[in-house]
């Protein structure tokens, strides 16, 4: 959230003033300024407590407080820097080597700021403890996968690799399919779940949509409702009667699983459920888990983006059936496919929007050539609801970092060395423990790629992007730009007529 980045930025500004060899602070200026630095340190500790809360917490009030804290910090930092520059400008004609700075006239403003931030910090801390939980989805919806069309899946290699791992003996209880939102993890899992060889091998199968909030007992009841259809109604309603004891439910599961091979798909997992996963019988249960987050406990497959051939096939079939693109639209279709960057959810969404318009070379040419065409903007807006939770539950120190990445032009590589220089100059990052700022930036990039699957970091022969550089997919850039502008952290200009009031940073692309 922006308050954390604002606190770090103010800390860095104060530290630069206090430690600069070219600035001489007129006493008692250091004593006036140092308490503000300490106040930011205390505030940071409270803001970081958000990272310790579960994914299923409703953060509406906390987000509102974050906004208030951010605005207060920015207002004070602007005041401090204006005072700083006003005094330096008066001294430039006399001497360029050193400057004196007197902060005595700001004493009252500094004290008021510290008092104001302290009150908001206490309120924020209190609100963190009382955040309500999201309501759980009805269990009936957690076992309903009728809307998942496994025919939309494109990558045969990922499918074969996953299927072989599930069927292999002695591979451990769990195999995980990970990747960014919209890359096709659930579709792959459904295709494996429905495979005839899988159905022959596993006498029992169960599918559970876990999501951000699903307790162990709910998961157990979802599984039992599918393994024994005669108990389905009882299991779907059991929690309402208060008879929801974990040990009792697990005893029923063990009895049902006796001497039978079982495949359990746990879809869209956000947190590792050790209570449940460690209890599954290893000799006859296999778990296929999908998640947008990497979990270290077991082997995994990282879902790659579709290549151009697979993407073209998916878009063509969605629009025109199994015969694919007609000859007069094939070249334009290839260009539209390229703008989808191999993300199945985006390809399918774009296809649905194109099917509602005139399927003519003239219209498709406009879609290809116009940078902010309605088809892609509408597609990004539609899938943002799926993408956004991945951003919302990033740790504090990664959120602003990721939003800044989203400011770069779409369909372009980001040079890591240039990005590092920009991050250092911005001043809203703070190394953790003994790391240098460069190492800290590298660690953040690695986390966004390896753990959260939000950026393309390592090039390969099938990549849509150049090797040894990094990139943010265009659909994610759309989310980043909207969120950055909403929080007033950064605004990417589309034209000179836009309202830019109170934005902290402005960005213009070369082709705007």
């Amino acid at each position: 959230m922006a308050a954390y980045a604002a606190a770090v930025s103010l800390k860095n500004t104060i530290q630069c003033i206090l430690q600069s060899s070219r600035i001489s602070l007129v006493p008692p200026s250091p004593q006036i300024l140092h308490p503000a630095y300490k106040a930011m340190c205390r505030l940071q500790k409270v803001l970081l407590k958000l990272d310790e809360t579960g994914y299923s917490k409703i953060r509406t009030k906390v987000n509102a407080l974050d906004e208030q804290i951010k605005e207060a910090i920015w207002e004070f930092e602007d005041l401090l820097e204006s005072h700083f520059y006003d005094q330096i400008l008066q001294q430039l004609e006399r001497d360029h080597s050193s400057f004196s700075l007197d902060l005595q006239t700001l004493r009252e403003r500094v004290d008021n700021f510290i008092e104001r931030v302290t009150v908001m910090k206490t309120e924020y801390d209190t609100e963190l403890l009382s955040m309500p939980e999201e309501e759980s989805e009805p269990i009936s919806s957690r076992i309903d996968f009728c809307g998942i069309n496994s025919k939309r899946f494109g990558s045969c290699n990922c499918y074969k690799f996953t299927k072989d791992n599930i069927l292999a003996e002695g591979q451990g209880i769990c195999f995980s399919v990970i990747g960014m939102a919209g890359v096709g993890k659930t579709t792959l899992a459904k295709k494996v779940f429905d495979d005839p060889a899988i159905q022959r091998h596993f006498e029992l199968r169960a599918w559970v949509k876990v999501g951000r909030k699903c307790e162990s007992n709910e998961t157990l009841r979802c599984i039992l409702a599918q393994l024994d259809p005669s108990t389905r109604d009882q299991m779907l309603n059991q929690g309402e009667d208060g008879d929801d004891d974990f040990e009792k439910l697990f005893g029923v599961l063990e009895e049902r699983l006796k001497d039978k091979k079982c495949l359990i798909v746990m879809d869209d997992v956000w947190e590792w459920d050790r209570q449940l996963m460690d209890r599954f019988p290893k000799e006859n249960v296999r778990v296929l888990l999908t998640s947008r987050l990497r979990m270290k406990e077991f082997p995994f497959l990282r879902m790659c983006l579709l290549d151009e051939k697979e993407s073209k096939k998916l878009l063509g079939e969605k629009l025109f059936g199994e015969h694919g693109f007609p000859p007069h639209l094939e070249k334009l279709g290839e260009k539209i496919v390229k703008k989808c960057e191999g993300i199945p959810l985006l390809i399918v969404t774009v296809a649905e929007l194109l099917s509602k318009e005139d399927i003519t070379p003239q219209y498709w040419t406009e879609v290809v050539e116009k940078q902010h065409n309605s088809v892609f903007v509408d597609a990004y807006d539609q899938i943002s609801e799926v993408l956004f939770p991945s951003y919302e539950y990033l740790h504090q120190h990664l959120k602003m970092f990721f939003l800044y990445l989203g400011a770069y032009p779409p369909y372009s590589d980001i040079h890591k060395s240039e990005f590092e220089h920009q991050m250092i100059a911005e001043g809203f990052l703070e190394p953790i423990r003994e790391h240098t700022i460069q190492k800290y930036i590298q660690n953040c990039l690695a986390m966004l790629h390896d753990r959260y699957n939000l950026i393309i970091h390592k090039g390969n022969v099938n990549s849509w992007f150049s090797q040894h550089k990094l990139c943010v997919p265009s659909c994610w850039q759309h989310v980043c730009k909207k969120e950055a502008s909403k929080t007033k952290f950064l605004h990417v200009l589309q034209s000179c007529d836009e309202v830019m009031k109170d934005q902290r940073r402005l960005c213009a692309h070369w082709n705007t």
Side-chain angles (χ1 to χ4, degrees):
M1 291 186 187
Y4 178 82
V8 173
S9 178
L10 179 54
K11 274 180 62 179
N12 287 336
T13 298
I14 293 173
Q15 199 166 31
C16 285
I17 294 172
L18 292 173
Q19 297 180 355
S20 174
S21 60
R22 299 184 65 191
I23 296 173
S24 174
L25 288 174
V26 177
S29 295
Q31 289 74 27
I32 293 171
L33 200 51
H34 195 68
Y37 180 88
K38 288 291 187 182
M40 290 302 98
C41 293
R42 293 191 296 270
L43 176 62
Q44 268 185 284
K45 289 182 180 179
V46 172
L47 293 173
L48 284 171
K49 289 183 181 181
L50 184 69
D51 297 339
E52 301 167 11
T53 61
Y55 288 127
S56 59
K57 295 288 187 180
I58 298 174
R59 302 177 173 184
T60 308
K61 291 184 178 179
V62 168
N63 289 351
L65 280 169
D66 185 273
E67 180 76 11
Q68 294 172 29
I69 294 169
K70 173 203 72 178
E71 293 290 347
I73 294 173
W74 282 354
E75 181 184 336
F76 179 76
E77 188 172 27
D78 289 346
L79 170 72
L80 183 61
E81 290 185 339
S82 296
H83 190 82
F84 175 87
Y85 292 129
D86 287 346
Q87 292 195 25
I88 285 181
L89 285 172
Q90 295 172 14
Q91 301 172 51
L92 280 177
E93 294 181 2
R94 300 193 302 270
D95 186 7
H96 288 197
S97 60
S98 62
F99 308 93
S100 63
L101 184 61
D102 188 350
L103 300 176
Q104 292 190 67
T105 58
L106 291 184
R107 180 189 289 273
E108 186 176 348
R109 301 288 292 274
V110 173
D111 291 343
N112 289 340
F113 168 70
I114 294 171
E115 183 179 347
R116 183 182 176 192
V117 166
T118 302
V119 171
M120 288 192 289
K121 172 180 72 69
T122 303
E123 190 178 353
Y124 187 94
D125 201 9
T126 302
E127 195 57 51
L128 278 177
L129 297 174
S130 59
M131 281 193 299
E133 291 271 354
E134 288 181 0
E135 290 187 12
S136 294
E137 290 185 38
I139 290 186
S140 57
S141 69
R142 293 189 182 279
I143 63 176
D144 180 12
F145 46 77
C146 298
I148 304 168
N149 184 0
S150 58
K151 293 181 180 179
R152 291 179 179 175
F153 184 73
S155 179
C156 295
N157 291 336
C158 290
Y159 166 61
K160 184 178 184 305
F161 185 79
T162 302
K163 176 183 167 183
D164 290 347
N165 267 276
I166 294 299
L167 291 173
E169 299 292 338
Q171 292 293 318
I173 191 170
C174 188
F175 183 75
S176 176
V177 176
I178 66 171
M180 71 172 62
V183 80
K185 304 179 294 296
T186 299
T187 307
L188 179 142
K190 181 62 165 56
K191 190 175 178 69
V192 171
F193 191 80
D194 290 340
D195 187 277
I198 293 289
Q199 294 186 39
R200 288 193 299 270
H201 187 81
F202 295 99
E203 184 178 348
L204 301 173
R205 294 174 304 136
W207 179 288
V208 184
K209 180 188 174 185
V210 178
R212 295 196 297 275
K213 183 174 177 10
C214 188
E215 304 293 340
S216 301
N217 293 14
E218 286 186 358
T219 303
L220 270 176
R221 286 191 281 124
C222 288
I223 294 169
L224 289 168
Q226 296 170 79
L227 300 189
D228 186 355
S230 66
T231 65
R232 178 185 173 95
D233 291 341
Q234 177 192 349
M235 288 300 160
L236 294 186
N237 300 314
Q238 190 170 9
E240 299 173 9
D241 303 329
D243 185 13
D244 205 23
D245 179 70
F246 178 82
E247 293 300 331
K248 182 178 178 181
L249 288 170
F250 202 86
V252 176
L253 178 65
E254 286 181 314
E255 184 66 29
R256 187 75 185 93
L257 291 176
K258 195 173 290 183
D259 301 325
K260 293 176 181 174
K261 291 186 179 295
C262 178
L263 171 65
I264 299 171
V265 174
M266 299 180 70
D267 184 39
D268 192 28
V269 174
W270 286 75
E271 290 183 333
W272 176 246
D273 188 346
R274 186 167 297 281
Q275 180 186 20
L276 186 59
M277 298 297 291
D278 290 352
R279 295 283 299 274
F280 282 135
K282 296 178 173 55
E283 62 276 4
N284 59 334
V285 172
R286 287 286 278 159
V287 177
L288 174 58
L289 181 152
T290 75
S291 179
R292 58 184 77 189
L293 309 171
R294 179 185 170 186
M295 299 180 186
K296 299 178 180 178
E297 286 83 357
F298 33 76
F300 68 92
L301 164 74
R302 189 187 303 277
M303 287 279 292
C304 52
L305 303 174
L306 301 183
D307 62 26
E308 291 192 49
K309 182 178 179 182
E310 293 166 336
S311 299
K312 180 181 175 182
K313 184 173 185 290
L314 181 58
L315 183 66
E317 286 182 352
K318 184 65 182 172
L319 281 168
F320 303 106
E322 61 181 23
H323 297 295
F325 293 100
H328 70 289
L329 290 173
E330 188 161 6
K331 291 298 181 184
L332 288 169
E334 289 172 357
K335 292 179 180 179
I336 291 174
V337 160
K338 201 170 185 68
K339 296 182 75 169
C340 293
E341 299 169 304
I343 301 172
L345 179 61
L346 181 57
I347 294 171
V348 169
T349 306
V350 166
E352 289 172 352
L353 291 168
L354 285 173
S355 67
K356 297 174 183 176
E357 304 292 340
D358 295 332
I359 301 182
T360 63
Q362 292 78 15
Y363 181 71
W364 279 28
T365 299
E366 182 182 334
V367 172
V368 168
E369 294 179 353
K370 189 176 179 182
Q371 184 179 359
H372 304 292
N373 67 81
S374 61
V375 168
F376 275 89
V377 171
D378 289 348
Y380 295 152
D381 284 338
Q382 283 189 30
I383 69 175
S384 289
E385 186 177 343
V386 176
L387 304 181
F388 187 75
S390 293
Y391 162 78
E392 177 66 5
Y393 298 104
L394 284 175
H395 282 183
Q396 297 285 294
H397 70 282
L398 289 173
K399 282 189 173 179
M400 300 304 113
F401 188 97
F402 184 54
L403 291 187
Y404 198 90
L405 276 169
Y408 284 82
Y411 315 112
S412 65
D413 292 312
I414 302 169
H415 294 263
K416 285 185 279 189
S417 58
E418 293 178 9
F419 179 70
E420 284 181 11
H421 292 313
Q422 287 177 311
M423 287 290 93
I424 292 168
E426 286 289 357
F428 63 81
L429 297 181
E430 182 177 55
I432 295 175
R433 293 184 289 275
E434 71 281 358
H435 294 309
T436 63
I437 188 70
Q438 288 87 353
K439 183 66 176 175
Y440 175 74
I441 292 169
Q442 291 168 16
N443 287 346
C444 288
L445 290 172
M447 282 288 287
L448 289 172
H449 173 265
D450 296 334
R451 163 73 172 152
Y452 294 100
N453 295 293
L454 290 175
I455 63 173
I456 313 298
H457 195 191
K458 297 177 181 177
N460 57 59
V461 292
N462 295 318
S463 175
W464 293 81
F465 312 103
S466 303
Q467 295 191 23
H468 312 302
K469 297 174 184 176
L470 61 103
C471 182
V472 179
S474 58
C475 56
W476 265 113
Q477 286 179 314
H478 181 79
V479 173
C480 287
K481 284 184 281 191
K482 285 185 70 173
E483 182 64 16
S485 184
K486 176 184 171 184
T487 59
K488 300 177 183 176
F489 171 74
L490 181 150
H491 182 74
V492 179
L493 293 167
Q494 308 294 346
S495 73
C496 294
D497 302 323
E498 293 182 59
V499 176
M500 299 170 283
K501 185 179 180 181
D502 297 330
Q503 292 290 343
R504 200 64 177 168
R505 295 167 182 83
L506 294 177
C507 171
H509 297 158
W510 65 270
N511 58 347
T512 298

